[in-house]
């Protein structure tokens, strides 16, 4: 293995010769051998967009030459394209401000930028702090990258995933609109509804969650950039932050603005807490949908069995022919992880001390993991389960026929207490509801047939 000597304000350190990073990244690699959780790729890409925008803003202010700006921009574009993925090795468990990840980006862009300048015959040299990090601090760049990464992950991945499953449920709701089934509350029989109506509730959960997530993520479009070290904007022109936000917006095709109060932007992450709360609400709805599907598909002979779902793979290594609701299981495990992430994000965000919150990497990691897992699992659940839901008409009809809760239709005619007595007698004697009703003497068989009709009980 060949090495080169890099130097920072602490002193000299050896770096593998083929690595693009410099001394501060190397110190982080050596000092934080903690876990396997790498800084999210989304944060790396957002940092590259930020550094490119900052170079343009500094050039616009006359602080950075056109050659240096172009070199930074070209190097940043290569990072965005994935050319240097292996050169961002840092873990989440590092300094809580994300300083070392900021410097990792500065060092890679400076080194690659200097190669570009040399190829062009320029004698100018990029310095990771003085040029790539010009007018910036880790304290305002990391939260800026957090917000850019979070907004793009939600809008480009999670929202489309919600919409895909929502469209499938809308189609299933329409397809099964006339399939009357027994309802259930408290896991006990209740009055009828249609399978389409039941599924429409699932669809509306996704619609509501999508609206809440869209609204909440708007607050993350405010960026901390321009606040530098403590929010005062020291060493940055007052127009720098708004200019960077404008350049980022142009580059990613999504609107961002410079935060009104930088003191808030550096020390508080309530926007991400709020947005992840809406994401947690989606996870709660996804848990309910996935559980309903696996309950309704339970069996095939000893469960509820009112719907069938695709058989994707063998379900047991010992029980031949067994098939399990694996997509529901995967989705519900994801929702549990998201709920845990929400607790971590909320607690981490509460730890802002004075001018800075130093739990930023764990907030970013958990937020982006939630978005990634929910996006993937909603699509997987849609493609391998929801899209293949079918109604088991014979089972559904038999459950409706045998349900004692159809007795509810008798309330207006004979009263609650007499109707309850009929239902209890039918259950105790194992007879049909109709047999018990006629035996009670409170109504005739003809009246029962006229009053107790499931199709009249579904609230069309």
């Amino acid at each position: 293995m060949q090495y080169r000597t890099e130097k920072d304000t602490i002193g000299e350190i050896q770096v593998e010769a083929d690595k693009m990073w410099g001394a501060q990244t190397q110190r982080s690699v050596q000092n934080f051998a903690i876990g396997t959780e790498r800084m999210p790729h989304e944060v790396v890409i957002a940092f590259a967009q930020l550094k490119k925008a900052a170079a343009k803003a500094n050039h616009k202010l006359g602080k950075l030459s056109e050659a240096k700006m172009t070199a930074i921009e070209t190097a940043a574009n290569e990072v965005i394209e994935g050319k240097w993925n292996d050169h961002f090795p840092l873990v989440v468990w590092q300094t809580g401000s994300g300083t070392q990840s900021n410097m990792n980006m500065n060092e890679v862009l400076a080194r690659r930028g200097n190669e570009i300048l040399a190829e062009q015959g320029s004698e100018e040299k990029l310095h990771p702090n003085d040029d790539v990090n010009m007018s910036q601090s880790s304290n305002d760049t990391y939260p800026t990258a957090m917000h850019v990464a979070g907004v793009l992950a939600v809008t480009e991945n999670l929202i489309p995933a919600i919409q895909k499953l929502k469209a499938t449920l809308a189609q299933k709701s329409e397809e099964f609109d006339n399939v009357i089934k027994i309802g259930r509350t408290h896991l006990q029989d209740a009055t009828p509804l249609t399978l389409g109506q039941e599924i429409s509730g699932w669809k509306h959960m996704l619609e509501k969650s999508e609206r809440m997530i869209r609204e909440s993520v708007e607050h993350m479009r405010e960026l901390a950039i321009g606040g530098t070290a403590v929010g005062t904007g020291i060493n940055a022109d007052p127009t720098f932050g708004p200019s960077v936000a404008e350049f980022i917006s142009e580059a990613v095709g999504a609107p961002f603005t410079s935060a009104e109060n930088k003191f808030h932007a550096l020390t508080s992450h309530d926007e991400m807490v709020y947005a992840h709360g809406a994401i947690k609400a989606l996870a709660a709805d996804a848990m309910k949908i996935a559980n309903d599907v696996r309950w309704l598909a339970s069996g095939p002979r000893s469960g509820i069995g009112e719907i069938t779902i695709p058989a994707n793979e063998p379900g047991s290594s010992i029980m031949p022919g067994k098939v399990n609701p694996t997509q529901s299981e995967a989705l519900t495990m994801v929702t549990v992880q998201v709920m845990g992430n929400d607790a971590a994000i909320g607690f981490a965000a509460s730890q802002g001390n004075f001018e800075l919150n130093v739990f930023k990497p764990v907030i970013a990691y958990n937020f982006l993991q939630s978005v990634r897992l929910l996006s993937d699992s909603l699509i997987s659940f849609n493609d391998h389960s929801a899209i293949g839901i079918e109604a088991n008409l014979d089972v559904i009809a038999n459950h409706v026929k045998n349900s004692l809760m159809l007795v509810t239709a008798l309330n207006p005619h004979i009263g609650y207490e007499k109707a309850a007595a009929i239902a209890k007698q039918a259950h105790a004697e194992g007879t049909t509801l109709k047999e018990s009703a006629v035996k009670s003497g409170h109504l005739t068989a003809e009246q029962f047939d006229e009053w107790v009709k499931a199709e009249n009980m579904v609230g069309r």
Side-chain angles (χ1 to χ4, degrees):
M1 185 73 68
Q2 292 185 324
Y3 293 87
R4 69 176 189 273
T5 301
E6 290 284 344
K7 183 179 178 181
D8 60 12
T9 56
I10 298 294
E12 293 184 346
I13 192 169
Q14 296 297 299
V15 177
E16 291 179 22
D18 62 342
K19 304 305 184 188
M20 298 294 292
W21 64 72
Q24 292 195 48
T25 303
Q26 186 63 35
R27 294 192 192 283
S28 185
V29 169
Q30 294 179 2
N31 292 337
F32 297 97
I34 304 173
T36 60
E37 294 82 6
R38 293 285 185 91
M39 189 60 59
H41 182 66
E42 298 93 333
V43 172
V44 172
I45 299 304
F47 252 120
Q49 293 285 8
L50 166 58
K51 296 300 178 178
K52 180 170 68 171
K56 289 183 175 181
N58 281 318
H59 174 65
K60 182 180 177 181
L61 289 166
K63 294 185 173 184
L64 196 68
S65 72
E66 184 171 356
K68 286 186 174 182
M69 176 199 72
T70 303
I72 294 172
E73 182 179 11
T74 302
N77 284 335
E78 291 178 353
V79 171
I80 294 165
E81 293 163 5
K83 186 173 181 179
W84 305 110
N85 287 350
D86 293 340
H87 299 268
F88 296 94
L90 300 189
V91 295
V92 172
W93 319 109
Q94 54 167 277
T95 178
S97 61
T99 298
Q100 289 136 13
S101 281
N102 179 41
M103 286 308 304
N104 186 186
M105 181 61 66
N106 291 335
E107 289 174 345
V108 170
L109 294 185
R111 186 169 183 81
R112 177 58 186 141
N114 283 330
E115 291 177 351
I116 293 168
L117 287 169
E119 289 166 3
Q120 296 172 346
S122 173
E123 295 183 359
E124 293 192 83
K125 290 280 189 179
L126 286 169
H127 189 280
N129 297 82
D130 297 337
D131 296 309
V132 186
N133 201 59
M134 181 185 289
S135 308
Q136 304 154 64
S137 164
S138 299
N139 296 352
D140 66 346
T141 57
Y142 195 91
T144 295
M146 286 169 62
H147 278 207
V148 173
V151 169
L152 294 181
V154 168
T155 57
E156 295 180 359
N157 298 313
L158 184 56
I159 296 300
I162 295 171
Q163 292 174 333
K164 186 172 188 180
L165 180 56
K166 184 176 67 175
T168 294
L169 296 181
Q171 185 269 321
K172 293 294 178 181
S173 178
E174 183 177 349
E175 179 181 351
F176 302 134
D177 188 49
N178 293 317
V179 178
I180 298 173
K181 68 181 294 290
I182 201 65
R184 295 178 180 84
T185 59
H186 304 269
L187 295 181
Q188 305 296 307
D189 295 352
T191 56
L193 75 168
T194 73
L195 181 56
Q197 289 173 327
E198 189 168 42
I199 294 175
S200 77
W202 304 345
K203 176 181 73 75
H204 194 71
M205 289 177 186
L206 297 182
E207 290 176 344
K208 198 70 170 288
S209 289
E210 180 184 347
R211 288 200 299 271
M212 291 190 294
I213 290 169
R214 284 185 181 276
E215 186 278 326
S216 66
V217 84
E218 289 302 305
H219 300 278
M220 290 174 59
R221 296 186 186 276
E222 290 190 7
L223 305 180
I225 194 68
T228 63
V230 298
T232 60
I234 188 172
N235 293 346
D237 187 277
T239 66
F240 176 74
S243 183
V244 171
E246 182 179 343
F247 283 125
I248 291 175
S249 301
E250 291 176 0
V252 303
F256 291 94
T257 60
S258 180
E260 178 183 356
N261 188 300
K262 302 299 192 302
F263 305 103
H264 166 270
L266 269 60
T267 197
S268 172
H269 295 303
D270 46 17
E271 303 98 334
M272 296 194 81
V273 173
Y274 181 46
H276 197 274
I279 293 169
K280 182 180 71 171
L282 169 63
D285 284 339
M287 174 73 86
K288 184 265 191 293
I289 293 168
N291 276 336
D292 280 0
V293 167
R294 61 177 166 186
W295 273 104
L296 290 174
S298 60
R301 294 188 176 180
S302 300
I304 293 175
E306 292 183 346
I307 65 173
T308 61
I309 54 177
N312 295 319
E313 62 272 317
S316 172
S317 61
I318 189 173
M319 293 176 280
K322 195 173 192 296
V323 177
N324 296 328
T326 52
Q327 289 296 320
S328 286
E329 291 167 5
L331 181 54
T332 52
M333 283 193 290
V334 164
T335 65
V336 168
Q337 183 66 49
V338 171
M339 291 174 187
N341 287 349
D342 191 73
I345 289 170
F347 188 78
S350 74
Q351 300 303 299
N353 295 315
F354 305 113
E355 278 63 62
L356 190 67
N357 175 291
V358 291
F359 285 68
K360 299 182 195 300
V362 74
I363 294 173
Y365 179 82
N366 282 282
F367 186 98
L368 292 167
Q369 185 193 58
S370 291
V371 173
R372 191 183 313 113
L373 290 178
L374 270 177
S375 300
D376 291 348
S377 60
L378 289 175
I379 290 173
S380 183
F381 181 78
N382 177 80
D383 293 352
H384 301 294
S385 184
I387 205 166
I389 289 174
E390 297 294 341
N392 194 338
L393 298 178
D394 290 340
V395 172
I396 288 173
N398 192 51
H399 285 166
V400 173
K401 177 183 176 182
N402 291 332
S403 174
L404 298 177
M405 287 306 98
L406 295 180
V407 77
T408 306
L410 296 179
N411 284 1
H413 303 286
I414 64 173
Y416 179 92
E417 292 188 7
K418 291 177 181 178
I422 289 171
K424 289 182 178 181
Q425 180 178 333
H427 183 56
E429 297 180 356
T431 62
T432 67
L433 197 60
K434 182 177 180 178
E435 289 171 334
S436 179
V438 174
K439 183 178 179 180
S440 73
H442 298 311
L443 68 162
T444 66
E446 291 75 20
Q447 287 175 317
F448 184 91
D449 290 338
E450 179 183 355
W451 295 339
V452 183
K453 293 180 178 180
E455 61 269 25
N456 294 335
M457 301 175 69
V458 296
R460 297 282 183 178

